Amino acid sequence: MDIIYQPRINREIESLRERIHPPRVCIDNDSYRDCTVVKIDSANRHGILLEMVQALTDLDLVISKSYISSDGGWLMDVFHVTDQVGKKLTDKSLVHYVHQALCEARSSQEISSDTIELQNASESVMNLAIELTTADKPGLFSEISAVLLRLGFNVTYATAWTHNERVVCIIHLEDAAKLGPIDSERLAHVREQLQNVVEARDGEEEGKRVRLRLRSFGAGRNHTDRRLHQMMYADGDYESCGACHGEKKNVSVGRYEEKGYWVVNVRSRDRPKLFFDTVCVLTDMKYEVFHAAVASNTSMADQEYFVRPKGGSNLDNESEKQKLIQCLIAAIERRVSHGLKVDIRTENRRGLLSRVTRVIRENGLSITKVQIGVEGETAVGSFYVADSSGQDVNPNIAELVRRETGGSVVANYNSPYTVPRPLSSGKTMHETKSTTQVTPRFSLGSMLWSQLECLSNNFRPIRS
């Protein structure tokens, strides 16, 4: 059995080292013609790589290449980045925000340390969020939004992912009747009503896998995408990702005997936030990344990681290796959806979310992914919809949603997060794509321009 020496470092000493030697961030626009190079030197600790990647992706930057080296108490990371249209970062204010975000990443805390689960809350709470994990059934999101509207809650932010017939969603709430804390009686009532909706749909046997939580989240620390990954992982959505999927996605785990590393290789179709998703699952599975090289060429991305389990582990454990492969495949797949993307930008009005989801449900469609929030007085978001019978979704659903909500609504098959099905009519996707309006753009990055805080805490309410 191999024994790997890993010194135990007291957290107070580690924190002192970070204060004495804060991160050095160098933003280089001269070395390469087609990209900006971001170089970071910093004291090393578990999770800091994820925080760096998270800071860059939250600003809507595209990471085309990265080189990671952190074998020891210090890290040296290099990222080749561009903006969303492939240009270098020449805007001085954006460069300033990148520098600020990366420096602030070192003081980030784990989500669990700043998020409180409410079991039998006896006091009023602020910043209430619902977290739900259950079986994916058509119409579920519509019923949940209708219940919340009936109970008198405003939805200030909502997001949901589906994968392997499971769904996780996070919904942030406000009391529509008054601003301020939500009392314990209302908390108990909303928990009961939502539990009834989910259990009625899932039945007794499926209901055993339902996880409904009410949480009070702290300011500026609750990263939604990471939390969705954690919820899916806790639910075991990766268990259905078999060996055949691993071959398809080209995910492999080998052994580097000389240094005692596991060598993780991932080759897959490139898309936004792929690097973040991979590093997220490695971090949450308690793997330390000592070296890594990431590059994307045309439509494909290659990632190579040299890792060890945190605290040491038997690297010959075959079941652990297979679990890591399955979890990486799941991390790649979770953000990708089949079907039609419907972008919406409209006036923020009470009941908006409930109306949109009702129209989708009444037309025999199911929601495979959603993210919606507000910018000023405007509600902005995206719904990914699929036909429950497996047929292609008619893009005219965008017009039906527009009639119900007003504003700009666009159907788009060409999202980087969408894997479209072949069209049965024989038409190409470009022939069926709606071109009546400009696609509205919603992203975390656009909202983090003005302040580098949690997106949900900056939202004004969607009055639904």
Side-chain angles (χ1 to χ4, degrees):
M1 180 179 68
D2 294 337
I3 299 177
I4 300 172
Y5 173 68
Q6 292 186 328
R8 182 181 182 276
I9 300 176
N10 185 283
R11 178 57 195 160
E12 293 184 4
I13 297 176
E14 190 176 76
S15 177
L16 175 63
R17 182 176 62 186
E18 292 173 5
R19 293 195 299 270
I20 295 174
H21 302 289
R24 295 195 299 268
V25 179
C26 173
I27 299 178
D28 174 12
N29 265 319
D30 299 325
S31 296
Y32 289 87
R33 179 178 55 83
D34 57 348
C35 70
T36 298
V37 179
V38 179
K39 303 175 184 177
I40 307 163
D41 296 337
S42 173
N44 188 28
R45 60 176 168 79
H46 181 72
I48 194 170
L49 173 60
L50 175 59
E51 291 159 11
M52 301 294 185
V53 175
Q54 178 178 302
L56 294 172
T57 55
D58 281 355
L59 288 169
D60 273 350
L61 302 181
V62 177
I63 303 173
S64 57
K65 290 184 181 179
S66 181
Y67 306 98
I68 309 300
S69 180
S70 57
D71 202 344
W74 199 260
L75 64 83
M76 292 179 289
D77 296 348
V78 178
F79 302 93
H80 292 206
V81 302
T82 64
D83 62 18
Q84 287 288 301
V85 294
K87 302 295 185 181
K88 297 168 68 169
L89 311 186
T90 56
D91 188 306
K92 291 184 179 180
S93 60
L94 177 56
V95 171
H96 168 74
Y97 281 126
V98 171
H99 189 281
Q100 182 181 352
L102 292 172
C103 288
E104 288 181 352
R106 71 185 177 97
S107 62
S108 298
Q109 302 292 325
E110 291 291 328
I111 289 175
S112 58
S113 68
D114 207 49
T115 308
I116 303 171
E117 183 170 354
L118 307 173
Q119 297 289 352
N120 298 305
S122 58
E123 299 179 359
S124 300
V125 298
M126 293 286 290
N127 302 323
L128 177 64
I130 297 168
E131 294 184 352
L132 176 64
T133 305
T134 186
D136 181 24
K137 300 291 180 63
L140 175 63
F141 207 74
S142 175
E143 291 189 19
I144 290 174
S145 59
V147 167
L148 294 174
L149 176 62
R150 187 173 69 249
L151 293 176
F153 283 98
N154 287 333
V155 176
T156 59
Y157 174 70
T159 185
W161 288 355
T162 60
H163 182 241
N164 282 347
E165 300 182 350
R166 304 293 294 172
V167 59
V168 294
C169 65
I170 300 175
I171 305 172
H172 293 219
L173 300 178
E174 285 182 349
D175 193 325
K178 61 182 179 66
L179 296 177
I182 300 173
D183 60 54
S184 57
E185 183 177 345
R186 295 211 70 194
L187 290 175
H189 189 46
V190 71
R191 183 197 298 273
E192 178 185 5
Q193 292 296 306
L194 290 174
Q195 194 77 40
N196 290 341
V197 168
V198 175
E199 290 180 354
R201 294 180 60 83
D202 289 349
E204 183 178 350
E205 185 172 345
E206 279 289 347
K208 295 177 181 177
R209 288 190 65 187
V210 172
R211 291 182 175 88
L212 174 64
R213 303 177 181 87
L214 302 185
R215 290 187 178 270
S216 177
F217 56 92
R221 299 289 176 84
N222 188 31
H223 193 272
T224 305
D225 282 6
R226 181 167 181 201
R227 185 64 191 143
L228 291 169
H229 275 299
Q230 290 175 329
M231 292 167 66
M232 278 290 192
Y233 175 67
D235 189 54
D237 72 314
Y238 58 87
E239 294 173 358
S240 300
C241 299
C244 60
H245 291 284
E247 294 172 6
K248 181 179 178 181
K249 292 288 188 306
N250 287 324
V251 178
S252 64
V253 177
R255 178 80 183 272
Y256 181 27
E257 300 283 352
E258 184 178 346
K259 294 290 185 179
Y261 296 135
W262 279 7
V263 184
V264 179
N265 284 282
V266 180
R267 180 172 174 79
S268 65
R269 184 184 299 276
D270 194 22
R271 60 162 174 77
K273 299 189 178 182
L274 177 64
F275 189 15
F276 167 83
D277 293 338
T278 307
V279 175
C280 192
V281 74
L282 290 172
T283 303
D284 287 334
M285 291 184 72
K286 306 300 182 185
Y287 284 93
E288 302 279 9
V289 178
F290 290 90
H291 301 279
V294 176
S296 59
N297 297 304
T298 61
S299 63
M300 300 300 294
D302 292 284
Q303 304 176 66
E304 183 176 53
Y305 301 91
F306 292 78
V307 305
R308 291 190 193 124
K310 186 179 180 182
S313 176
N314 182 1
L315 299 183
D316 292 323
N317 189 324
E318 185 64 27
S319 62
E320 184 68 18
K321 184 170 75 172
Q322 290 303 317
K323 179 181 177 181
L324 176 56
I325 291 174
Q326 290 176 316
C327 288
L328 288 168
I329 296 167
I332 294 170
E333 293 178 344
R334 285 170 191 150
R335 200 183 291 273
V336 178
S337 298
H338 289 277
L340 181 72
K341 182 186 180 192
V342 178
D343 293 308
I344 180 171
R345 178 183 290 272
T346 189
E347 180 186 353
N348 179 22
R349 298 190 301 274
R350 177 169 172 77
L352 174 66
L353 182 62
S354 180
R355 289 199 297 271
V356 172
T357 55
R358 177 176 53 80
V359 169
I360 293 172
R361 180 185 182 185
E362 288 176 348
N363 283 273
L365 304 176
S366 58
I367 297 173
T368 61
K369 187 169 66 174
V370 61
Q371 182 177 18
I372 187 165
V374 302
E375 296 175 354
E377 297 298 324
T378 304
V380 186
S382 299
F383 295 82
Y384 291 74
V385 296
D387 192 298
S388 302
S389 63
Q391 299 297 314
D392 299 309
V393 177
N394 190 331
N396 288 338
I397 187 65
E399 175 61 20
L400 298 178
V401 173
R402 189 195 64 77
R403 291 176 185 174
E404 186 70 28
T405 64
S408 170
V409 181
V410 177
N412 179 14
Y413 265 114
N414 296 327
S415 163
Y417 299 109
T418 305
V419 179
R421 293 188 177 93
L423 298 180
S424 57
S425 64
K427 295 183 179 180
T428 66
M429 291 173 186
H430 294 286
E431 290 173 328
T432 60
K433 179 182 174 182
S434 172
T435 57
T436 58
Q437 302 182 61
V438 178
T439 302
R441 189 168 179 272
F442 172 64
S443 68
L444 283 166
S446 63
M447 305 192 74
L448 288 170
W449 261 91
S450 58
Q451 46 181 236
L452 300 170
E453 293 181 348
C454 175
L455 177 63
S456 59
N457 293 320
N458 295 329
F459 280 152
R460 297 168 61 87
I462 293 178
R463 302 178 185 89
S464 55

